[in-house]
Amino acid sequence: MRNNNTLKITIMALAIALNFIGGLIAISLKLPIYFDSIGTVLVGFLFGVVPAILTGVVSYIVNYITFDPCALYFIPAQIIIALCSGIFYRRGLFNGKKSILGIILMAIPVSFVSACIAAYVFGGVTSAGSAIIVGILGNNGVSMVLGVFVTQIITDLLDKILIVYLVLGAIKVIPRDIKN
């Protein structure tokens, strides 16, 4: 089934919809997590890096056009998520106790890139609910750059923990012929 392009494209389209819905819910409710890379991680686990990158990039373009004017700038973060999910899953870094290591190794570069974009492109104020935390820290004397970096690390780590375990649970119920 791995070479069935119609199946891959269908799952990638569903994954783009997952990213869209997750991101829309997170932004609408001003959640301090993102939920906009569920589909990217799923495709990375199932099909590898390149399909995951395509899924992440297309979903962020759709998000940018429809509801999130900041999404386009965060495409590099989606690419890192796609790279990490595809490579780390193949290397077993999301199996058992190693999953925490895989999540941390994914969250660190994503946090760094996202924090740089949030701080230096948007001045710390993005469409994400985490901007509220940055504002609270700023009102309590924390510099904007430090506030963005601290907030991004915490929220990205929490976001990736939830997403990875959600995707791992979903993969358990996906038929074997799709996974293989």
Side-chain angles (χ1 to χ4, degrees):
M1 277 292 188
R2 184 165 223 180
N3 293 324
N4 185 335
N5 287 332
T6 304
L7 179 63
K8 277 186 185 178
I9 291 169
T10 302
I11 291 174
M12 289 169 65
L14 290 170
I16 291 166
L18 275 173
N19 285 353
F20 177 86
I21 293 166
L24 183 61
I25 290 170
I27 284 179
S28 297
L29 298 177
K30 292 294 181 200
L31 298 176
I33 53 175
Y34 313 104
F35 276 153
D36 56 2
S37 59
I38 298 168
T40 305
V41 172
L42 176 65
V43 170
F45 284 10
L46 291 177
F47 305 125
V49 170
V50 173
I53 289 173
L54 290 172
T55 299
V57 169
V58 170
S59 67
Y60 266 36
I61 291 169
V62 170
N63 289 1
Y64 171 76
I65 292 169
T66 57
F67 72 89
D68 185 2
C70 299
L72 197 63
Y73 299 93
F74 288 93
I75 286 176
Q78 274 292 315
I79 292 170
I80 293 169
I81 292 167
L83 286 166
C84 291
S85 63
I87 293 169
F88 295 171
Y89 185 77
R90 296 281 181 263
R91 294 196 176 166
L93 280 177
F94 294 114
N95 294 335
K97 292 180 181 177
K98 287 190 281 186
S99 63
I100 296 298
L101 176 62
I103 291 167
I104 291 169
L105 290 175
M106 179 190 296
I108 289 172
V110 172
S111 297
F112 180 76
V113 168
S114 296
C116 288
I117 295 166
Y120 298 110
V121 175
F122 296 104
V125 181
T126 64
S127 53
S130 59
I132 296 167
I133 299 169
V134 173
I136 292 169
L137 291 173
N139 287 338
N140 288 297
V142 176
S143 75
M144 183 272 301
V145 173
L146 179 60
V148 169
F149 275 86
V150 168
T151 300
Q152 200 67 47
I153 289 168
I154 293 167
T155 57
D156 261 323
L157 189 57
L158 179 59
D159 182 64
K160 301 312 170 268
I161 288 169
L162 295 171
I163 288 173
V164 166
Y165 285 118
L166 181 70
V167 170
L168 287 172
I171 285 179
K172 287 181 183 177
V173 299
I174 292 174
R176 183 177 299 273
D177 56 339
I178 293 174
K179 288 190 282 193
N180 295 334

